[in-house]
Amino acid sequence: MKKILILCTGNSCRSKMAQACLLHLDAELCVRSAGTHPAHNTHPLAIEVMKEAGMPISDLQPHDVKDFINEEWDFVITVCDHARETCPVFTGKVKHQLHLAYPDPAQAKGTKEEQLAVFRQTRDRIALSFKEFHHRYIEEAHEYEERL
């Protein structure tokens, strides 16, 4: 089972969305998300748009990256530039580190519908990127291992 940690600054939007997307694609994965400076709550609009897409955010409480720093990970993926810059050094084994940046939907202004549109756009970008990630790094690697 592959272990994947997804990092963001607040662990309230993008990393939670990415976690839900990967678990929706493959329930066999061990996927966690955390923040370098975790928020107190997951953003309610992130919860709403993921529920719309049939990918509910099951773990609603943001987590601190320090809780996972000594574990072994197949992938540590940062989804915002700030998290990438402030990502701590993992003392556990990390096989691959990737960076997939998305604008922060929590910065959206306007009416609730305008903000929801930004959250949906971010969700869709994340879903597409992580579907590609899953195909490239999980499915193809599994197929390669089976051929050996």
Side-chain angles (χ1 to χ4, degrees), residues 3 14 17 27 30 33 48 52 54-56 58-59 63 68 77 81 84 86-87 90 102 122 146:
K3 286 183 65 180
R14 295 164 285 184
M17 290 176 171
C30 173
S33 65
E48 187 173 337
E52 286 174 0
M55 298 182 278
S58 57
D59 180 9
H63 298 279
F68 302 106
I77 304 169
D81 292 330
R84 181 183 191 188
T86 61
C87 186
F90 279 78
Y102 308 93
T122 302
E146 285 182 343

Side-chain angles (χ1 to χ4, degrees), residues 61-79:
Q61 192 62 35
H63 298 279
D64 194 310
V65 67
K66 293 174 189 169
D67 297 339
F68 302 106
I69 202 160
N70 294 317
E71 294 183 35
E72 291 187 17
W73 298 97
D74 292 296
F75 295 92
V76 172
I77 304 169
T78 51
V79 293

Side-chain angles (χ1 to χ4, degrees), residues 1 7 22 26-27 32 34 38-39 44 62 71-72 78 87 100-101 110 115 127 135-136 142:
M1 170 177 36
L7 297 178
L22 271 179
D26 190 341
R32 302 289 183 264
E71 294 183 35
E72 291 187 17
T78 51
C87 186
L100 304 170
Q115 291 177 45
H135 178 73
R136 180 175 180 187
H142 182 69

Side-chain angles (χ1 to χ4, degrees), residues 94-114:
V94 176
K95 292 180 183 174
H96 306 280
Q97 289 191 334
L98 301 172
H99 179 64
L100 304 170
Y102 308 93
D104 186 358
Q107 301 300 315
K109 305 291 184 216
T111 67
K112 181 179 179 185
E113 274 309 311
E114 291 169 332

